Amino acid sequence: MTHETPLSKEPPPPPAPRTTVRTADIKRLLSAAFVGTALEWYDYFLYGTAAALVFNKLFFPDLDPAVGTIASFITFAVGFVARPIGAAIFGHIGDRLGRKTALIATVVLMGVTTGCIGLLPGYDTIGIWAPALLATLRFLQGISVGGEWSGAMLLTLEHTPKEKHGSYSAVPQLGSPVGTLLSSGAFALVGMLDDDAFYSWGWRIPFLFAFVLLFVALYMRLRIEESPVFKAMMEESERNGPPPAPLVEAFRRTWGRILIGIAAAFLGIGGFFLLTTFIISYGTEQLGVDKSVMLNATLVGSVVEIVVLVVAGRIANKAGPWKVCTVGGIVSVLAAFPTFWLVDTGQTALVILGVSLGIGAISIPYAPIGAVVSGMFPENFRYSAVAMSYNLAGVLAGFVPLVAASLLGLSGGASWSAALLLVFIAACTTGGSYLAGPQLRRRLGHDPSKQHANSKAIA
């Protein structure tokens, strides 16, 4: 068995064959990646918002409100536990059957399971089966997300020039704030209903809307071309026989890089759920801020995230993705305590400013993280390695709202505990991104002129 340390050396990959990709094809690809990812995150974030506002009352009504919120967040975390399983399943499909095949399967699974949550009876109707079915559907959501992000990212980067991977890797990431805007906006609209209507049927509408969005995303994904890298891999397999199991190869040959990828990706997932799912619960339950104010704060924060993603992605084209991720981690460390201090005021404008500051800071490393993680792994097991790295980070991230709520209880409701948790998460990403730098330099080479010469080559 081959072992590696995080800084073990691997010879640079040979130049990929030149492939001309039409601008129209790239635009269609980017649109499909964006729309599909937006749907996935819309569906996934709906659950997070509902976990903070609805599920504790409808599915755990016999528990103390604080305990019910923690129980609700436990079902929220179930989706993250499932993500490595989804990474293994869809990673294998993506490396053996194709990136496109995996992405079509993920979007169908997510759309169907999310719509079914909107049809689920509450505890008062079917008793213990209600939270059990809720957790099952959340688990299936996690399976879907386990293969979604890596597939969308690889299809994007494997079709496009390397010198623009910083900005192109930010395109699938835009699905996250847009998904947040759609999910928070949907809940803001139904939140205008009176409490009786909202808790009886209003909360279901955003989930049922996932059925409609599914057809849009599926149509767009059926129109995209398979990755040229995967086509070349299939030609190689026909000549030399099938390669070893991709996930086994990923852990055997690159376990150190997987650890680096987990650390580098942690802030973009864990920090985000801390500043959305947890902070909505914190603001409404601890500070007494109206739920509409907290939802609107996440909406504004999502707009800020869109701007930051675009700008940070473009900067990454020039400075290098891993450098932008490292700097973004440091900025997030510095912004952690001011973010919660502003929210603690309870004043609408300052709450919105605080949430926007925090989300804006963690969005800096989130923009080019796809280029960082995917650039560290060889093509023949890249889907599996990228999916596992990102989704193991997702497992940790899924418990962030639960850990934050528990720390808040231990600190007597003081927000410094949650801020300190954000500092820790940001520090992990800073270190992981910095360690990714040598790996990327070894794989992509040092000579900028060579990168330019191969700018039409497949990643």
Side-chain angles (χ1 to χ4, degrees), residues 3-10 253-261 376 431-432 434-440 442:
H3 298 277
E4 84 160 20
T5 63
L7 296 179
S8 65
K9 294 185 178 181
E10 176 183 299
R253 293 174 52 188
T254 59
W255 66 267
R257 274 170 276 178
I258 289 175
L259 292 177
I260 291 174
M376 290 192 292
Y434 181 79
L435 291 174
Q439 299 292 337
L440 293 170
R442 273 191 286 271

Side-chain angles (χ1 to χ4, degrees), residues 104-390:
I104 290 173
T106 61
V107 78
V108 171
L109 179 60
M110 177 61 83
V112 171
T113 54
T114 302
C116 287
I117 290 175
L119 299 173
L120 194 62
Y123 185 91
D124 292 341
T125 303
I126 58 174
I128 193 65
W129 284 104
L133 289 172
L134 180 68
T136 300
L137 291 172
R138 179 59 175 177
F139 186 83
L140 292 175
Q141 277 193 324
I143 294 288
S144 172
V145 168
E148 164 63 27
W149 180 88
S150 48
M153 189 62 66
L154 292 187
L155 262 182
T156 299
L157 298 182
E158 289 179 353
H159 274 93
T160 54
K162 289 182 180 179
E163 78 233 19
K164 293 186 177 180
H165 277 186
S167 55
Y168 282 147
S169 67
V171 173
Q173 306 298 67
L174 290 171
S176 173
V178 170
T180 303
L181 282 171
L182 290 174
S183 60
S184 296
F187 262 100
L189 287 175
V190 297
M192 297 171 66
L193 299 168
D194 61 76
D195 283 351
D196 288 340
F198 175 76
Y199 288 110
S200 63
W201 57 267
W203 70 271
R204 299 179 183 275
I205 295 175
F207 285 92
L208 295 174
F209 189 60
F211 286 129
V212 178
L213 295 178
L214 168 60
F215 289 103
V216 177
L218 186 59
Y219 168 76
M220 298 191 71
R221 289 203 164 166
L222 287 171
R223 297 175 65 236
I224 60 178
E225 294 292 327
E226 181 56 85
S227 160
V229 167
F230 180 77
K231 291 178 180 179
M233 287 167 52
M234 290 301 96
E235 293 175 1
E236 182 72 17
S237 296
E238 290 177 2
R239 290 193 298 268
N240 302 323
L247 184 59
V248 173
E249 282 294 282
F251 276 108
R252 186 177 72 86
R253 293 174 52 188
T254 59
W255 66 267
R257 274 170 276 178
I258 289 175
L259 292 177
I260 291 174
I262 292 170
F266 192 21
L267 178 60
I269 315 171
F272 183 82
F273 284 112
L274 181 63
L275 294 170
T276 52
T277 301
F278 168 76
I279 215 163
I280 289 174
S281 176
Y282 171 68
T284 56
E285 299 290 338
Q286 292 290 326
L287 303 179
V289 178
D290 189 85
K291 66 177 183 292
S292 64
V293 173
M294 299 308 303
L295 289 170
N296 288 334
T298 61
L299 287 173
V300 175
S302 297
V303 174
V304 171
E305 182 179 5
I306 291 172
V307 175
V308 173
L309 288 176
V310 172
V311 173
R314 291 180 177 177
I315 294 173
N317 285 339
K318 298 179 180 180
W322 73 270
K323 293 180 182 178
V324 172
C325 288
T326 303
V327 171
I330 295 171
V331 171
S332 299
V333 168
L334 298 176
F337 279 93
T339 292
F340 279 92
W341 291 338
L342 289 167
V343 172
D344 283 344
T345 65
Q347 300 180 29
T348 299
L350 295 181
V351 168
I352 293 173
L353 178 60
V355 173
S356 299
L357 171 64
I359 292 177
I362 67 171
S363 300
I364 298 172
Y366 187 62
I369 191 62
V372 172
V373 177
S374 64
M376 290 192 292
F377 300 103
E379 292 83 353
N380 58 331
F381 55 79
R382 180 182 286 166
Y383 200 129
S384 295
V386 171
M388 193 57 65
S389 299
Y390 195 75

